[in-house]
Amino acid sequence: MEIKLTHVKTTNLTDISITIPSSVITGITGENSKEILEVISFSNEFKGSIYFDKERITKKKQNEYKVKTYYVPLEFELDYPLYTVEEYLRYFILTNFLRTKDIDEKIDGALKIVGFDKKILKRTITTLSSSEKKWFQLSLAFLINPSILLLDNPFTYFDEKEKIKLIRILERLKDKFYKTIIITSDDQNLLYEITRYLIVLKDGYLYQEGLTESVYYYLFDEKELGISLPKIVSFIKLVESSKKVKLDHRKDIKDLMKDIYREVR
């Protein structure tokens, strides 16, 4: 589902007009980037217009389209801290009116995606580690099965193994189920690796948007932004400049080293 914002203003964003392509992973980086996720999920007040697949979403239509999105914030907040995982999952299914013939089967399916054992169902949510809470948040998103998945810094509490696991899940959702996935992050290496489209914010304004590769190689000013380029991009630009060669814009370091061995002798 394509998303378009025109002249959107929030508390910290000014006159944001962007187009987010359908069925790709889009990255957003820069201060207050999560406010774009809040606008798209209709969980934050804003001025301006939002379009889903070129249809302008009026206030009357917001509830209809809100169910097509799911926003996973950085932190998980509970009104009642003593829920067990199973109690909250059942509560979540019922309060979101999720259609299912078998609640237990639906819960098992969500746990399976994130790699949880059934033993976790009896644990109180407050006893979960930070990474477990994040996987639990993601399991709720998979229960909803939205067309648009909005993730605020989803890799923050993960080790490298868990990051790879989540990347594979997101890639599968995009490629097999054509989900539109939007993530915020300050990790430029990660954004370069997994996103197809990139939006860069600076001081509450849109700095640049476009294909991730194009933004990093041609439109990204490290000094102006105060943000470092992805390491592999910096390395490729250095080699191209010093050796006067043209290299493919690789994302995999192994492929890059093969190119350098071939081109630079």
Side-chain angles (χ1 to χ4, degrees):
M1 183 174 287
E2 181 188 82
I3 304 160
K4 183 178 180 180
L5 306 183
T6 59
H7 305 296
V8 163
K9 296 180 181 179
T10 66
T11 303
N12 296 298
L13 300 179
T14 302
D15 199 27
I16 300 293
S17 295
I18 55 176
T19 299
I20 297 171
S22 175
S23 305
V24 303
I25 300 177
T26 292
I28 308 176
T29 192
E31 291 183 6
N32 304 306
S33 54
K34 76 170 186 177
E35 290 194 17
I36 291 182
L37 306 186
E38 292 170 348
V39 168
I40 295 171
S41 61
F42 305 107
S43 56
N44 190 8
E45 291 293 325
F46 68 92
K47 294 181 180 179
S49 300
I50 181 169
Y51 298 79
F52 285 178
D53 281 341
K54 299 183 179 180
E55 180 181 359
R56 185 172 180 271
I57 310 304
T58 62
K59 287 190 175 182
K60 290 183 179 180
K61 290 184 177 180
Q62 283 186 10
N63 285 336
E64 175 186 345
Y65 278 84
K66 192 172 185 178
V67 299
K68 298 179 184 292
T69 73
Y70 190 76
Y71 173 44
V72 181
L74 176 60
E75 303 294 346
F76 183 61
E77 296 182 2
L78 275 173
D79 295 329
Y80 178 67
L82 297 181
Y83 277 117
T84 65
V85 170
E86 181 176 14
E87 287 170 341
Y88 193 87
L89 287 170
R90 290 181 180 278
Y91 165 80
F92 185 82
I93 290 170
L94 293 173
T95 55
N96 284 278
F97 305 103
L98 302 182
R99 295 180 180 179
T100 178
K101 293 181 179 179
D102 189 329
I103 289 182
D104 291 328
E105 184 177 333
K106 195 168 185 68
I107 289 173
D108 288 347
L111 295 181
K112 185 176 180 180
I113 293 174
V114 299
F116 275 168
D117 187 277
K118 287 185 180 181
K119 293 179 181 178
I120 203 167
L121 289 171
K122 302 305 179 185
R123 286 177 59 186
T124 304
I125 293 174
T126 52
T127 68
L128 301 181
S129 68
S130 295
S131 63
E132 286 174 330
K133 284 181 183 176
K134 180 55 63 179
W135 284 118
F136 177 65
Q137 282 181 282
L138 291 166
S139 75
L140 300 179
F142 301 143
L143 283 172
I144 291 286
N145 190 27
S147 299
I148 301 167
L149 182 58
L150 309 165
L151 306 172
D152 181 22
N153 286 284
F155 298 91
T156 297
Y157 298 116
F158 289 164
D159 58 24
E160 287 304 313
K161 185 177 179 180
E162 289 176 307
K163 286 181 181 179
I164 292 170
K165 176 181 170 182
L166 179 55
I167 289 170
R168 287 175 178 168
I169 291 173
L170 297 180
E171 291 284 355
R172 185 168 182 267
L173 290 173
K174 169 182 67 73
D175 294 336
K176 187 173 181 179
F177 301 102
Y178 309 105
K179 303 296 185 183
T180 297
I181 300 167
I182 309 169
I183 67 173
T184 66
S185 180
D186 296 324
D187 186 337
Q188 307 308 316
N189 297 307
L190 185 142
L191 290 174
Y192 180 69
E193 178 185 354
I194 70 171
T195 67
R196 171 69 174 164
Y197 201 78
L198 184 68
I199 295 163
V200 184
L201 303 177
K202 183 179 186 296
D203 299 329
Y205 292 86
L206 174 66
Y207 177 79
Q208 288 291 353
E209 69 168 317
L211 295 176
T212 299
E213 179 183 310
S214 297
V215 171
Y216 280 130
Y217 279 95
Y218 307 115
L219 305 173
F220 198 95
D221 188 317
E222 291 179 289
K223 291 183 179 179
E224 186 176 0
L225 287 167
I227 301 173
S228 297
L229 281 166
K231 291 179 181 178
I232 194 170
V233 175
S234 293
F235 184 68
I236 289 173
K237 294 180 77 170
L238 176 63
V239 172
E240 288 182 329
S241 175
S242 61
K243 299 298 182 180
K244 308 301 179 185
V245 296
K246 184 66 177 176
L247 298 174
D248 290 336
H249 294 164
R250 300 291 192 181
K251 294 192 175 185
D252 189 299
I253 190 65
K254 293 180 181 178
D255 292 332
L256 174 59
M257 296 313 295
K258 291 177 183 177
D259 290 347
I260 293 174
Y261 180 76
R262 184 178 64 250
E263 298 290 341
V264 183
R265 300 185 188 182

